[in-house]
Amino acid sequence: MTRPAYPILPANTEAVMVFQRCQTQWTYAGDPPAHTGLRVEAVTAVIDALGVPAERRSDLLGRIQIIEMKALEVLNRIRMADLARIRRQQPRPARSR
């Protein structure tokens, strides 16, 4: 078994596992599209399916939202770098004299 690239604190293990199960639930907006967040109804459906007790749900959702915010920061940096690369590759219009 391989170790994760980054250690996960035991208190965050469940949040990371739920977050990973929600990776097909991102919403997008803009042109070109950008990630805007996870569908909260999908996240809560996963939490329900896992049978998380009611007294732990609020804390778990808060932890998932922190992971989501950090993921959005990374995804936005990647998107901006991709857009800059695409712009550099586009031919520039000729200057008129």
Side-chain angles (χ1 to χ4, degrees):
M1 184 170 159
T2 60
R3 290 175 40 181
Y6 299 98
I8 300 169
L9 295 172
N12 294 326
T13 301
E14 188 174 36
V16 170
M17 300 310 282
V18 172
F19 180 80
Q20 288 178 329
R21 290 179 183 208
C22 294
Q23 288 308 293
T24 60
Q25 301 303 316
W26 287 100
T27 58
Y28 301 87
D31 184 24
H35 293 83
T36 58
L38 291 172
R39 293 178 42 239
V40 71
E41 68 275 11
V43 175
T44 57
V46 170
I47 291 170
D48 289 344
L50 293 173
V52 176
E55 63 272 6
R56 289 199 352 250
R57 290 175 184 231
S58 179
D59 179 67
L60 178 59
L61 187 57
R63 290 172 188 272
I64 293 165
Q65 289 173 324
I66 291 169
I67 296 168
E68 176 189 36
M69 286 187 307
K70 291 302 178 182
L72 285 169
E73 288 176 13
V74 171
L75 291 167
N76 189 49
R77 277 198 304 268
I78 292 168
R79 179 176 181 266
M80 297 307 289
D82 287 347
L83 289 173
R85 181 183 41 79
I86 290 167
R87 286 187 191 111
R88 285 192 304 272
Q89 292 173 349
Q90 292 175 340
R92 294 193 175 145
R95 291 184 177 176
S96 58
R97 293 184 173 192

